[in-house]
Amino acid sequence: MEGKAPIMRRSALAAIAAIGTASLFLAGCSKADDNKNENGTKSAGANAATKGVVNASDKKGGTVTYEMSDVPDSFDPGNTYYAYMYNLSRLWARPLMTFKPGPGEEGNTLVPDLAAGKGVASDGGKTWTYKLRPGLKYEDGTPITSKDVKYAVERSNFARDVLSLGPNYFQQFLADGDKYKGPYKDKSAKGLSSIETPDDTTITFHLNRAFQEFDYLVAAPQTAPVPQAKDKGVDYVKQIVSSGSYKFQSYQDGKQAVLVRNENWDPKTDPLRKQLPDKIVVKLKVNPETIDQDVVAGNAIDLVGTGVQASTQAEALTDPAKKANTDNTYGGRLVYMAINTKVKPFDKPECRKAVQYAIDKVSVQTAEGGPIRGDVASTVLPPDIPGYAKSDVYATKDSKGDAAKAKAQLKACGASSISTNISARSDRPQEIDAATAIINSLKKVGINATLKQYPQGKYFTDYAGVPKFTEKQNIGLIMMQWGADWPSGYGFLQQILNGKAISQSGNTNLSQYDNSKVNDMLGQAIGTDDVAKRNELYAQIDKQTMDDAVLVPLTYFKVLLGRPTNYTNLVSTAAFSGQYDYLNIGVASK
């Protein structure tokens, strides 16, 4: 998931300003005692939140603030596909299953949320049944029923002309899903027949094939209940009805959202949430350097979780003692560049291979912040995702590119030069810097790429994720960062490689890759009960994709998070790409 534009590097003046911010970042470690925070508490040390819960506390009260430099795709749990929104949305939207708050790999543990237990499989994994916990209520006190979960899945997966931002797994795998028109067009009371709700606490999913990882699928916010009578389609985001421990007090599109305690949330129905702060504020369109400053002061969390700015990082790592309030970890993510197979001449594999050989991946790694922000990549699957197998199909000396091999492939594809565009997100400076490094590499072999920048919040709905737009604008190369939808090869590969995942808006298969072998192997893998055999298939899919050269792995992403010292229960979780688990963060005593 995410995660789901010629530009010079940022000016020297901007860099100096950012370094000034970096100095602020270090202020959290006093000269008198490098282990003391600004608020007088002792630092837990670098990477402490990757090993355990930092500042564990059940103290109630105060305000927790999240900040991001742009806007999210949507606060609507049925219309989002960024990992940070999957993480945050659990405060107001409870899915059937979720992930246990815990450090690192422990955070990948599935636990029941809205459901009373894990799914009960039958028919060889083609049928899955869940029972809801008793006593569940919405913020207005009305009961939550299994019909509301059914409706949530229908609206999020079968009305792609209205809600296009989330994944479409249910549409692909539910029986007769290809015939159902969605709840906005189909006005019958029955809805999709392959989701049954025999009573208010039971929901059964009938699939068109075996799906052995279905418990992971229902952990998506798309299974968070939505009362049909309150749904307003794309405008539901303005008046979301909470099923979680917090509800919306206010929502200002593009500015901020304010959450307060949901008084009808009952802790007896929810062993996971603690409902600690009085208020949760989500501030949008905040300058990235300002976010770093606020994190340093201990008063904000970087919502997106991509970590501190590059110049802040440089200062923070000059002395080991100064890393005391940072957490550096993998998160099942890959930074890559998709090669658009529908934009000529990249419909020819030799032209795509010319790009593979041309790129100096070390320069890209450096642009992103160096090894602490990721290892040089050569496969689609990162090393911390099951199915990874070490390989480098387009190996070059020291991973710095090979101009001779690139030019040979260019000649083989019948081109002496190529002119194209490369897209990147305008509010992600490191992504822009990485794209600039790629442009410099490609230019040396006769591939001239012009950078096009688009805002993160609409990157998939209006630009990179709209095939007609990319083809019209000659966007042959697309910058991307991807994290597993769930911790398996299928959870990582399906939405970026399966031809059936291609959509006309909100598309995440940015290469528009549709290889029947890969499609078939994905289907075979998810229906295989033997985990080892599944992982073998994922490795084969990875190899086939690299042989076809449809994307360029750049780095296995690592995040360097600033840890705000005034907050409690901070733990970095693999389930949400190394971000802090947002479920139970509170405010420390001053």
Side-chain angles (χ1 to χ4, degrees):
M1 74 190 72
E2 251 289 336
K4 248 227 294 312
I7 293 291
M8 299 295 291
R9 282 183 173 270
R10 286 165 291 161
S11 69
L13 183 61
I16 292 169
I19 290 171
T21 303
S23 300
L24 288 171
F25 185 85
L26 303 180
C29 304
S30 71
K31 294 179 180 178
D33 186 347
D34 283 337
N35 292 319
K36 290 283 187 177
N37 297 318
E38 281 188 327
N39 60 8
T41 62
K42 186 176 180 180
S43 171
N47 298 324
T50 68
K51 304 168 186 173
V53 179
V54 174
N55 295 339
S57 173
D58 288 333
K59 178 183 177 292
K60 290 182 176 287
T63 298
V64 170
T65 300
Y66 294 89
E67 296 177 345
M68 72 174 292
S69 57
D70 191 39
V71 298
D73 48 3
S74 180
F75 283 88
D76 184 338
N79 199 31
T80 183
Y81 205 8
Y82 275 104
Y84 62 88
M85 290 308 294
Y86 270 44
N87 189 354
L88 189 73
S89 67
R90 296 176 301 153
L91 293 168
W92 62 86
R94 295 178 63 181
L96 286 174
M97 301 284 291
T98 192
F99 294 94
K100 176 184 177 181
E105 287 301 308
E106 185 181 332
N108 279 334
T109 305
L110 270 177
V111 291
D113 193 347
L114 207 65
K118 291 185 176 182
V120 177
S122 56
D123 193 20
K126 291 177 66 176
T127 300
W128 292 79
T129 298
Y130 297 83
K131 294 287 289 187
L132 301 189
R133 297 179 189 273
L136 297 166
K137 295 180 180 179
Y138 287 112
E139 64 177 76
D140 60 3
T142 57
I144 294 171
T145 73
S146 55
K147 292 179 176 62
D148 300 331
V149 177
K150 171 183 165 84
Y151 180 73
V153 172
E154 290 172 342
R155 72 186 288 271
S156 62
N157 275 253
F158 296 91
R160 304 298 288 181
D161 56 331
V162 179
L163 305 174
S164 64
L165 299 180
N168 62 346
Y169 289 109
F170 289 102
Q171 184 186 44
Q172 293 177 51
F173 286 96
L174 283 165
D176 296 325
D178 57 337
K179 301 174 184 176
Y180 180 56
K181 296 180 180 180
Y184 304 130
K185 293 179 180 177
D186 176 12
K187 300 299 181 181
S188 68
K190 185 178 181 180
L192 181 61
S193 60
S194 53
I195 305 179
E196 294 180 337
T197 54
D199 57 57
D200 284 348
T201 61
T202 305
I203 184 166
T204 299
F205 299 90
H206 296 280
L207 312 181
N208 55 27
R209 72 201 91 162
F211 194 113
Q212 299 296 345
E213 298 177 1
F214 197 73
D215 271 342
Y216 283 117
L217 180 51
V218 300
Q222 293 179 332
T223 65
V226 174
Q228 185 170 4
K230 300 290 183 68
D231 184 21
K232 296 182 179 180
V234 72
D235 287 332
Y236 179 67
V237 70
K238 298 176 182 178
Q239 289 181 308
I240 292 172
V241 183
S242 172
S243 57
S245 51
Y246 286 84
K247 64 180 182 180
F248 285 85
Q249 182 184 68
S250 62
Y251 170 74
Q252 296 173 279
D253 189 28
K255 294 183 180 180
Q256 74 170 21
V258 178
L259 301 162
V260 293
R261 288 196 179 101
N262 174 8
E263 61 272 14
N264 277 304
W265 169 79
D266 186 350
K268 293 179 182 177
T269 72
D270 191 347
L272 298 174
R273 293 163 182 79
K274 296 181 179 181
Q275 202 186 51
L276 297 180
D278 295 324
K279 186 181 293 186
I280 296 169
V281 178
V282 184
K283 295 182 178 180
L284 308 175
K285 291 189 176 293
V286 181
N287 182 281
E289 280 75 29
T290 301
I291 294 175
D292 277 359
Q293 292 179 43
D294 292 341
V295 170
V296 172
N299 297 324
I301 294 170
D302 169 19
L303 173 61
V304 178
T306 51
V308 300
Q309 301 304 302
S311 50
T312 302
Q313 168 194 310
E315 287 290 317
L317 300 178
T318 54
D319 187 321
K322 295 174 182 178
K323 296 192 295 185
N325 292 319
T326 63
D327 292 293
N328 185 216
T329 183
Y330 291 105
R333 280 195 261 182
L334 178 74
V335 176
Y336 69 94
M337 183 180 69
I339 304 178
N340 193 338
T341 60
K342 300 300 182 182
V343 171
K344 294 183 178 181
F346 297 124
D347 55 332
K348 299 178 180 179
E350 294 84 4
C351 286
R352 301 195 296 267
K353 291 177 181 180
V355 172
Q356 297 276 0
Y357 281 118
I359 295 175
D360 178 349
K361 293 185 179 180
V362 175
S363 72
V364 176
Q365 180 192 46
T366 301
E368 290 172 352
I372 201 163
R373 298 306 295 264
D375 299 332
V376 170
S378 57
T379 58
V380 184
L381 286 169
D384 53 342
I385 295 295
Y388 165 80
K390 189 175 181 179
S391 175
D392 193 350
V393 177
Y394 306 102
T396 64
K397 185 178 180 181
D398 298 325
S399 300
K400 292 185 176 182
D402 189 319
K405 287 184 178 179
K407 289 178 180 179
Q409 290 293 335
L410 202 60
K411 184 178 180 180
C413 87
S416 57
S417 65
I418 295 173
S419 293
T420 190
N421 291 316
I422 179 172
S423 71
R425 282 163 282 200
S426 56
D427 62 316
R428 293 194 175 190
Q430 289 163 332
E431 187 166 280
I432 294 168
D433 287 351
T436 304
I438 289 170
I439 289 169
N440 292 336
S441 291
L442 296 177
K443 189 175 182 180
K444 296 176 182 178
V445 303
I447 302 173
N448 299 302
T450 299
L451 186 60
K452 301 291 185 182
Q453 299 184 50
Y454 304 111
Q456 175 180 198
K458 296 183 180 297
Y459 195 63
F460 298 102
T461 55
D462 293 6
Y463 306 109
V466 181
K468 287 184 179 178
F469 179 86
T470 58
E471 290 166 41
K472 184 177 181 180
Q473 298 296 320
N474 190 34
I475 298 174
L477 307 172
I478 303 172
M479 295 299 292
M480 183 63 159
Q481 183 185 127
W482 187 253
D485 284 355
W486 60 84
S488 82
Y490 193 91
F492 191 94
L493 299 169
Q494 160 69 11
Q495 290 296 113
I496 61 172
L497 297 183
N498 195 331
K500 293 182 179 179
I502 300 170
S503 60
Q504 296 311 302
S505 177
N507 179 45
T508 50
N509 183 343
L510 300 177
S511 303
Q512 298 187 63
Y513 184 47
D514 192 3
N515 182 305
S516 59
K517 290 182 182 178
V518 167
N519 297 343
D520 290 345
M521 283 191 286
L522 282 166
Q524 183 183 347
I526 200 59
T528 301
D529 192 38
D530 188 305
V531 175
K533 290 182 179 178
R534 281 211 302 269
N535 290 340
E536 288 177 10
L537 285 164
Y538 298 144
Q540 290 176 37
I541 292 166
D542 193 323
K543 184 180 185 304
Q544 182 66 57
T545 303
M546 291 309 302
D547 286 345
D548 290 341
V550 297
L551 62 83
V552 183
L554 298 170
T555 60
Y556 303 125
F557 181 85
K558 292 179 73 175
V559 65
L560 181 67
L561 295 174
R563 189 191 319 133
T565 57
N566 290 335
Y567 290 157
T568 62
N569 304 317
L570 293 164
V571 58
S572 170
T573 173
F576 298 105
S577 304
Q579 301 161 12
Y580 296 123
D581 189 303
Y582 296 154
L583 207 56
N584 290 312
I585 294 175
V587 181
S589 300
K590 294 292 185 88

